[in-house]
Amino acid sequence: MKDSCALIYSSRFSGFSYGEEHPFKVLRYRLTYDLIRELGLLAPPEARVV
């Protein structure tokens, strides 16, 4: 059995906010995605962005 995973990402996420009091800031998600992309972790053919 082959394991698989996918990164769910959309630039539209940056238009959403959970509110000022919520610890998750959408900017962190975008910065993490940018870092993953810059490190080439999305380059392998089995890597998927959904």
Side-chain angles (χ1 to χ4, degrees):
M1 176 179 228
K2 185 176 180 180
D3 291 335
S4 65
C5 67
L7 173 66
I8 299 172
Y9 179 79
S10 171
S11 60
R12 293 175 51 191
F13 292 166
S14 63
F16 186 78
S17 173
Y18 290 98
E20 290 298 316
E21 298 298 318
H22 197 280
F24 181 78
K25 304 301 180 208
V26 178
L27 174 61
R28 292 180 185 166
Y29 189 57
R30 186 181 60 82
L31 292 173
T32 301
Y33 171 76
D34 290 344
L35 180 60
I36 288 170
R37 193 183 69 234
E38 288 177 24
L39 291 173
L41 299 175
L42 299 176
E46 64 272 7
R48 291 182 24 199
V49 178
V50 180

